[in-house]
Amino acid sequence: MWGRLAELRGPTVVPHPLDARALAALAANPGCRRRALLDGAGVDKTALAAKLGSPAAFGQSQFAFMRGNAFEAKVKADGGRELLRLLGIEEPGEVRLPDLAAAGPEGRAARTALALREATAAGAWALLDHPMLALEVAGSPAYLEPDAVVVHPDGRWTVVEIKSFPMIDGSADASKVGAAARQSAVYVLALERVAALTEGAEVAHHVLLVCPKDFSNLPTASVVDVRKQLSVTRRQLTRLTRVEDIAAALPEGVTFDVESCSAEELTTAVESVPHAYAPECLAACELAFHCRDRARDAGAVETLGRSVRGELGALTTVGAVLAAARGEEGDADDPTVEALRRARALREEALATVPVARTDQGAPAC
């Protein structure tokens, strides 16, 4: 299995690691076999999209990245004093700060699990800075690194997510909070795997979101309930087709080796894997522009959005929708076709009542 995945990304290519943000996006679109395979094989989708001629146009700027790192460093400075203050702990000396250093992601994940068990058994506060968590997704291991995890004396584990966007008057941008909640839900899901093997442990289904207060650099916090996101993520990740099943259906010799393949070869390889494009992909997947172009070329109704696609039923192309609306195709008894024809009739009726604007011949030329 792992040899086949190495062939797909290129024998000499280091696998691109899965992170919580990628898993959250993958869970939001579980029907996309293309993304599941590329992420499972560790293909660098940013480099692949650039080679295909459709580079990703999103991502965190270098300035935002540096600002985020600086804010996180402030929150965790002096043994995590600011973070612990937000938890109501005034004396950092009372909190255990276990060393999580180990060789490789597997070693760090094992060391994290051990530290969580030891802290829970001790019945004391503990702060784990950048712990490593393991989670199997579609048959492939993913190693996740939350900003922090806090162990409470009663055995509860709480994920801490540190973001550099501001919290103004006690609230932050809803879309950014939602993205942070989806990402944190992946961490909670991975923590539950460890808690299931730890006596007395319980993972909190809310996370502590730490952001700058108003327009200052002073940290403030808000408790975010992620039960809904956790339920959706758990269900969607379970539904993902296993990577080996997708790989087994590929033509012989398919590879996504960006360094050794031409753009034409990579295009053929990418198109051999089915995708499930939706406009939401533009904010979450590096290959979104490539997939959008192909969906537009095929006239797929998915380019109009998932809600529109759901309303159109068996009509899968824009051409078929227009033909049905004109009465050239489709079953007249089909409610979808009937609604389209009614909408077209109403449009024509509305346009017929609009007076035609006349050009004033005597007006001076502009």
Side-chain angles (χ1 to χ4, degrees), residues 14-363:
V14 177
H16 195 71
L18 272 173
D19 58 17
R21 187 172 299 176
L23 287 181
L26 191 58
N29 190 9
C32 187
R33 294 191 166 204
R34 180 175 296 173
R35 173 154 196 167
L37 178 66
L38 294 175
D39 282 346
V43 176
D44 185 346
K45 297 195 302 298
T46 299
L48 178 60
K51 190 69 173 281
L52 292 173
S54 302
F58 72 92
Q60 194 175 40
S61 69
Q62 188 65 25
F63 173 75
F65 183 76
M66 293 173 61
R67 182 183 61 191
N69 283 345
F71 179 68
E72 181 177 341
K74 175 179 175 62
V75 172
K76 294 180 177 179
D78 193 18
R81 180 177 291 274
E82 287 286 353
L83 175 56
L84 297 173
R85 176 183 61 80
L86 296 173
L87 289 165
I89 304 172
E90 297 298 335
E91 283 300 326
E94 301 174 0
V95 180
R96 299 161 63 112
L97 300 172
D99 182 9
L100 303 179
E106 298 93 340
R108 289 186 59 202
R111 183 68 188 88
T112 295
L114 178 61
L116 286 167
R117 295 188 185 103
E118 290 176 344
T120 303
W125 287 98
L127 174 62
L128 280 67
D129 184 12
H130 282 290
M132 183 67 73
L133 307 173
L135 182 66
E136 183 176 302
V137 180
S140 297
Y143 293 98
L144 315 171
E145 190 175 6
D147 292 327
V149 170
V150 174
V151 178
H152 299 249
D154 61 2
R156 283 182 299 122
W157 301 350
T158 300
V159 171
V160 177
E161 188 68 7
I162 303 173
K163 296 295 185 183
S164 60
F165 55 79
M167 195 176 292
I168 301 174
D169 291 334
S171 62
D173 183 275
S175 63
K176 293 180 179 179
V177 173
R182 290 189 294 272
Q183 182 176 338
S184 298
V186 179
Y187 297 138
V188 172
L189 188 61
L191 266 179
E192 287 183 339
R193 302 297 193 269
V194 184
L197 303 174
T198 305
E199 184 178 356
E202 179 186 2
V203 182
H205 288 173
H206 60 264
V207 301
L208 188 69
L209 177 63
V210 180
C211 300
K213 182 178 181 181
D214 298 326
F215 300 101
S216 70
N217 203 35
L218 179 68
T220 188
S222 175
V223 175
V224 179
D225 191 330
V226 297
R227 284 176 295 180
K228 179 181 178 181
Q229 292 83 357
L230 180 62
S231 176
V232 171
T233 301
R234 182 184 288 113
R235 182 175 66 253
Q236 300 294 58
L237 290 181
T238 301
R239 290 175 53 195
L240 285 172
T241 304
R242 295 183 65 84
V243 173
E244 59 261 35
D245 296 335
I246 304 175
L250 295 178
E252 190 68 29
V254 167
T255 179
F256 305 100
D257 190 343
V258 176
E259 295 297 329
S260 63
C261 294
S262 65
E264 292 75 16
E265 291 170 330
L266 288 173
T267 298
T268 300
V270 168
E271 293 307 310
S272 68
V273 190
H275 68 97
Y277 171 77
E280 293 84 351
C281 296
L282 294 173
C285 182
E286 296 84 346
L287 284 179
F289 289 95
H290 173 84
C291 296
R292 183 185 64 176
D293 291 344
R294 293 302 183 273
R296 284 177 172 176
D297 291 343
V301 295
E302 283 80 1
T303 59
L304 305 177
R306 289 195 178 102
S307 59
V308 176
R309 174 68 187 91
E311 293 289 340
L312 292 174
L315 302 174
T316 59
T317 66
V318 175
V321 171
L322 296 176
R326 292 191 295 263
E328 299 169 358
E329 296 180 10
D331 183 359
D333 294 330
D334 185 335
T336 301
V337 174
E338 182 182 357
L340 288 169
R341 292 177 182 175
R342 177 60 178 160
R344 182 172 184 269
L346 290 174
R347 177 180 181 275
E348 291 179 346
E349 180 182 336
L351 291 176
T353 61
V354 177
V356 179
R358 295 183 177 180
T359 304
D360 188 351
Q361 300 293 336

